[in-house]
Amino acid sequence: MLELRNVQTYYGNIKALKGIDITVNAGEIITLIGANGAGKSTTLMSICGIVPPREGSIRFKERELRGMDTDRIVGFGISQVPEGRHIFPHLTVRENLDMGAFLRRDKAEISRDIEYVYELFPILAERRNQAGGTLSGGEQQMLAISRALMARPTLLLLDEPSLGLAPLIVQQIFEIISQINRENGTTIFLVEQNAFQALKVANRGYVMETGTITMTDTAENLLNNEDVKRAYLGV
Ligand code: ATP
């Protein structure tokens, strides 16, 4: 579904991605794990054109994305949930969800999808008329994921969904990520520092160090790999 080949991305003279290769198959959950500053967020921003790569290719369903505007890329069915959530604090929960559907015109289907995300996250239904900025961190993450789902993506990019959340909420968020993948067949590209939880829900994983992919395998093998255990799982 998505194929990154020799992707090189810069911030000025700083080479943040040094030629990375990643393949994402339709219907799977893949995770990209790595330390702070490894280049994980840059990978997601390269895919959606927020920080365009200088070299390489990013093919999505046979289309070349490199060089395209983010709006067009979103229109092809790729939604990103950015690190730090970035919901609209002064808009209500419901209005935030409507913003996620701004490219769509199918009103009846939009209403159906709003009901679907309220089923996924019942707390959002309870808080539908509340301003986004008044929600807790976990609720804002739920809203950010829901808003991205309102675009009906076939590929969902999640940047550190567990960041700053209490363990119980993290658990809940990861269960829902699994559920979204299972129920809708949405392909998920999950960037995480919480390697253990990410590998638990993913089919396959990639390990990134200073702008380079150093390892890739099934999530199960990575969970049992001694180097991964030592460096990322704290065991
Ligand atoms: P984190 O988990 O902290 O978000 P990350 O793995 O997502 O880390 P990136 O945010 O992609 O890493 O950063 C990769 C490299 O690019 C780092 O060395 C970082 O300092 C650098 N970098 C990121 N954003 C910018 C920017 N706007 N300008 C200059 N350098 C940047």
Side-chain angles (χ1 to χ4, degrees), residues 87-103:
I87 54 137
F88 300 104
H90 302 297
L91 299 184
T92 66
V93 165
R94 172 61 205 253
E95 288 164 344
N96 266 278
L97 294 175
D98 288 338
M99 294 299 278
F102 79 102
L103 286 176

PDB file of all heavy atoms in Angstrom, residues 87-103:
ATOM      1  N   ILE A  87      -5.751  19.442  18.750  1.00  0.00           N
ATOM      2  CA  ILE A  87      -7.179  19.620  18.491  1.00  0.00           C
ATOM      3  C   ILE A  87      -7.483  21.119  18.534  1.00  0.00           C
ATOM      4  O   ILE A  87      -6.640  21.917  18.945  1.00  0.00           O
ATOM      5  CB  ILE A  87      -8.029  18.875  19.542  1.00  0.00           C
ATOM      6  CG1 ILE A  87      -7.592  19.311  20.941  1.00  0.00           C
ATOM      7  CG2 ILE A  87      -7.883  17.371  19.407  1.00  0.00           C
ATOM      8  CD1 ILE A  87      -8.708  19.553  21.837  1.00  0.00           C
ATOM      9  N   PHE A  88      -8.674  21.517  18.103  1.00  0.00           N
ATOM     10  CA  PHE A  88      -9.037  22.939  18.151  1.00  0.00           C
ATOM     11  C   PHE A  88      -9.639  23.215  19.535  1.00  0.00           C
ATOM     12  O   PHE A  88     -10.757  22.776  19.814  1.00  0.00           O
ATOM     13  CB  PHE A  88     -10.044  23.274  17.048  1.00  0.00           C
ATOM     14  CG  PHE A  88      -9.521  22.996  15.669  1.00  0.00           C
ATOM     15  CD1 PHE A  88      -9.932  21.880  14.960  1.00  0.00           C
ATOM     16  CD2 PHE A  88      -8.597  23.858  15.079  1.00  0.00           C
ATOM     17  CE1 PHE A  88      -9.430  21.614  13.690  1.00  0.00           C
ATOM     18  CE2 PHE A  88      -8.093  23.600  13.803  1.00  0.00           C
ATOM     19  CZ  PHE A  88      -8.511  22.479  13.110  1.00  0.00           C
ATOM     20  N   PRO A  89      -8.909  23.936  20.406  1.00  0.00           N
ATOM     21  CA  PRO A  89      -9.338  24.047  21.812  1.00  0.00           C
ATOM     22  C   PRO A  89     -10.639  24.814  22.016  1.00  0.00           C
ATOM     23  O   PRO A  89     -11.363  24.555  22.978  1.00  0.00           O
ATOM     24  CB  PRO A  89      -8.167  24.760  22.493  1.00  0.00           C
ATOM     25  CG  PRO A  89      -7.412  25.427  21.404  1.00  0.00           C
ATOM     26  CD  PRO A  89      -7.632  24.622  20.167  1.00  0.00           C
ATOM     27  N   HIS A  90     -10.924  25.762  21.115  1.00  0.00           N
ATOM     28  CA  HIS A  90     -12.123  26.590  21.316  1.00  0.00           C
ATOM     29  C   HIS A  90     -13.354  26.026  20.619  1.00  0.00           C
ATOM     30  O   HIS A  90     -14.453  26.531  20.794  1.00  0.00           O
ATOM     31  CB  HIS A  90     -11.860  28.034  20.866  1.00  0.00           C
ATOM     32  CG  HIS A  90     -10.705  28.652  21.603  1.00  0.00           C
ATOM     33  ND1 HIS A  90     -10.727  28.859  22.966  1.00  0.00           N
ATOM     34  CD2 HIS A  90      -9.481  29.048  21.178  1.00  0.00           C
ATOM     35  CE1 HIS A  90      -9.565  29.372  23.345  1.00  0.00           C
ATOM     36  NE2 HIS A  90      -8.785  29.487  22.279  1.00  0.00           N
ATOM     37  N   LEU A  91     -13.170  25.002  19.818  1.00  0.00           N
ATOM     38  CA  LEU A  91     -14.331  24.354  19.176  1.00  0.00           C
ATOM     39  C   LEU A  91     -14.808  23.208  20.060  1.00  0.00           C
ATOM     40  O   LEU A  91     -14.021  22.624  20.808  1.00  0.00           O
ATOM     41  CB  LEU A  91     -13.952  23.806  17.796  1.00  0.00           C
ATOM     42  CG  LEU A  91     -13.457  24.809  16.750  1.00  0.00           C
ATOM     43  CD1 LEU A  91     -13.225  24.092  15.423  1.00  0.00           C
ATOM     44  CD2 LEU A  91     -14.453  25.956  16.572  1.00  0.00           C
ATOM     45  N   THR A  92     -16.092  22.910  19.965  1.00  0.00           N
ATOM     46  CA  THR A  92     -16.622  21.786  20.754  1.00  0.00           C
ATOM     47  C   THR A  92     -16.109  20.471  20.169  1.00  0.00           C
ATOM     48  O   THR A  92     -15.559  20.432  19.062  1.00  0.00           O
ATOM     49  CB  THR A  92     -18.164  21.754  20.721  1.00  0.00           C
ATOM     50  OG1 THR A  92     -18.562  21.474  19.374  1.00  0.00           O
ATOM     51  CG2 THR A  92     -18.792  23.044  21.209  1.00  0.00           C
ATOM     52  N   VAL A  93     -16.342  19.420  20.933  1.00  0.00           N
ATOM     53  CA  VAL A  93     -15.969  18.077  20.470  1.00  0.00           C
ATOM     54  C   VAL A  93     -16.614  17.814  19.114  1.00  0.00           C
ATOM     55  O   VAL A  93     -15.962  17.396  18.158  1.00  0.00           O
ATOM     56  CB  VAL A  93     -16.417  17.035  21.522  1.00  0.00           C
ATOM     57  CG1 VAL A  93     -16.387  15.624  20.943  1.00  0.00           C
ATOM     58  CG2 VAL A  93     -15.533  17.139  22.770  1.00  0.00           C
ATOM     59  N   ARG A  94     -17.906  18.092  19.022  1.00  0.00           N
ATOM     60  CA  ARG A  94     -18.641  17.842  17.787  1.00  0.00           C
ATOM     61  C   ARG A  94     -18.073  18.667  16.622  1.00  0.00           C
ATOM     62  O   ARG A  94     -17.895  18.169  15.509  1.00  0.00           O
ATOM     63  CB  ARG A  94     -20.126  18.162  18.020  1.00  0.00           C
ATOM     64  CG  ARG A  94     -21.000  18.139  16.807  1.00  0.00           C
ATOM     65  CD  ARG A  94     -20.993  16.748  16.166  1.00  0.00           C
ATOM     66  NE  ARG A  94     -21.320  16.839  14.764  1.00  0.00           N
ATOM     67  CZ  ARG A  94     -22.477  16.460  14.228  1.00  0.00           C
ATOM     68  NH1 ARG A  94     -23.405  15.927  14.996  1.00  0.00           N
ATOM     69  NH2 ARG A  94     -22.694  16.599  12.956  1.00  0.00           N
ATOM     70  N   GLU A  95     -17.750  19.930  16.901  1.00  0.00           N
ATOM     71  CA  GLU A  95     -17.193  20.777  15.836  1.00  0.00           C
ATOM     72  C   GLU A  95     -15.806  20.290  15.396  1.00  0.00           C
ATOM     73  O   GLU A  95     -15.471  20.345  14.208  1.00  0.00           O
ATOM     74  CB  GLU A  95     -17.110  22.231  16.317  1.00  0.00           C
ATOM     75  CG  GLU A  95     -18.484  22.888  16.409  1.00  0.00           C
ATOM     76  CD  GLU A  95     -18.494  24.179  17.241  1.00  0.00           C
ATOM     77  OE1 GLU A  95     -17.523  24.435  18.002  1.00  0.00           O
ATOM     78  OE2 GLU A  95     -19.484  24.910  17.156  1.00  0.00           O
ATOM     79  N   ASN A  96     -15.017  19.798  16.358  1.00  0.00           N
ATOM     80  CA  ASN A  96     -13.720  19.221  16.008  1.00  0.00           C
ATOM     81  C   ASN A  96     -13.901  18.041  15.062  1.00  0.00           C
ATOM     82  O   ASN A  96     -13.151  17.875  14.099  1.00  0.00           O
ATOM     83  CB  ASN A  96     -12.988  18.749  17.271  1.00  0.00           C
ATOM     84  CG  ASN A  96     -12.045  19.791  17.831  1.00  0.00           C
ATOM     85  OD1 ASN A  96     -10.918  19.935  17.363  1.00  0.00           O
ATOM     86  ND2 ASN A  96     -12.510  20.547  18.816  1.00  0.00           N
ATOM     87  N   LEU A  97     -14.922  17.231  15.341  1.00  0.00           N
ATOM     88  CA  LEU A  97     -15.185  16.063  14.489  1.00  0.00           C
ATOM     89  C   LEU A  97     -15.616  16.512  13.093  1.00  0.00           C
ATOM     90  O   LEU A  97     -15.175  15.947  12.084  1.00  0.00           O
ATOM     91  CB  LEU A  97     -16.245  15.166  15.128  1.00  0.00           C
ATOM     92  CG  LEU A  97     -15.824  14.498  16.445  1.00  0.00           C
ATOM     93  CD1 LEU A  97     -16.996  13.729  17.048  1.00  0.00           C
ATOM     94  CD2 LEU A  97     -14.633  13.564  16.233  1.00  0.00           C
ATOM     95  N   ASP A  98     -16.463  17.544  13.050  1.00  0.00           N
ATOM     96  CA  ASP A  98     -16.897  18.066  11.746  1.00  0.00           C
ATOM     97  C   ASP A  98     -15.700  18.542  10.925  1.00  0.00           C
ATOM     98  O   ASP A  98     -15.661  18.367   9.704  1.00  0.00           O
ATOM     99  CB  ASP A  98     -17.881  19.227  11.931  1.00  0.00           C
ATOM    100  CG  ASP A  98     -19.244  18.740  12.419  1.00  0.00           C
ATOM    101  OD1 ASP A  98     -19.559  17.545  12.212  1.00  0.00           O
ATOM    102  OD2 ASP A  98     -19.984  19.546  13.019  1.00  0.00           O
ATOM    103  N   MET A  99     -14.711  19.143  11.602  1.00  0.00           N
ATOM    104  CA  MET A  99     -13.522  19.623  10.881  1.00  0.00           C
ATOM    105  C   MET A  99     -12.781  18.468  10.212  1.00  0.00           C
ATOM    106  O   MET A  99     -12.196  18.630   9.150  1.00  0.00           O
ATOM    107  CB  MET A  99     -12.556  20.320  11.852  1.00  0.00           C
ATOM    108  CG  MET A  99     -13.074  21.602  12.456  1.00  0.00           C
ATOM    109  SD  MET A  99     -13.422  22.852  11.221  1.00  0.00           S
ATOM    110  CE  MET A  99     -11.797  23.521  10.975  1.00  0.00           C
ATOM    111  N   GLY A 100     -12.816  17.320  10.854  1.00  0.00           N
ATOM    112  CA  GLY A 100     -12.149  16.143  10.289  1.00  0.00           C
ATOM    113  C   GLY A 100     -12.797  15.668   8.995  1.00  0.00           C
ATOM    114  O   GLY A 100     -12.180  14.949   8.206  1.00  0.00           O
ATOM    115  N   ALA A 101     -14.053  16.054   8.796  1.00  0.00           N
ATOM    116  CA  ALA A 101     -14.791  15.600   7.602  1.00  0.00           C
ATOM    117  C   ALA A 101     -14.872  16.697   6.551  1.00  0.00           C
ATOM    118  O   ALA A 101     -15.695  16.614   5.637  1.00  0.00           O
ATOM    119  CB  ALA A 101     -16.187  15.147   8.018  1.00  0.00           C
ATOM    120  N   PHE A 102     -14.005  17.705   6.649  1.00  0.00           N
ATOM    121  CA  PHE A 102     -14.203  18.894   5.795  1.00  0.00           C
ATOM    122  C   PHE A 102     -14.079  18.626   4.297  1.00  0.00           C
ATOM    123  O   PHE A 102     -14.617  19.372   3.500  1.00  0.00           O
ATOM    124  CB  PHE A 102     -13.294  20.057   6.242  1.00  0.00           C
ATOM    125  CG  PHE A 102     -11.875  19.939   5.781  1.00  0.00           C
ATOM    126  CD1 PHE A 102     -11.400  20.679   4.711  1.00  0.00           C
ATOM    127  CD2 PHE A 102     -11.002  19.086   6.430  1.00  0.00           C
ATOM    128  CE1 PHE A 102     -10.082  20.574   4.285  1.00  0.00           C
ATOM    129  CE2 PHE A 102      -9.686  18.960   6.012  1.00  0.00           C
ATOM    130  CZ  PHE A 102      -9.233  19.704   4.945  1.00  0.00           C
ATOM    131  N   LEU A 103     -13.409  17.531   3.923  1.00  0.00           N
ATOM    132  CA  LEU A 103     -13.291  17.240   2.483  1.00  0.00           C
ATOM    133  C   LEU A 103     -14.481  16.441   1.962  1.00  0.00           C
ATOM    134  O   LEU A 103     -14.605  16.202   0.770  1.00  0.00           O
ATOM    135  CB  LEU A 103     -12.006  16.448   2.206  1.00  0.00           C
ATOM    136  CG  LEU A 103     -10.677  17.201   2.261  1.00  0.00           C
ATOM    137  CD1 LEU A 103      -9.504  16.236   2.064  1.00  0.00           C
ATOM    138  CD2 LEU A 103     -10.620  18.304   1.210  1.00  0.00           C
TER     139      LEU A 103
END
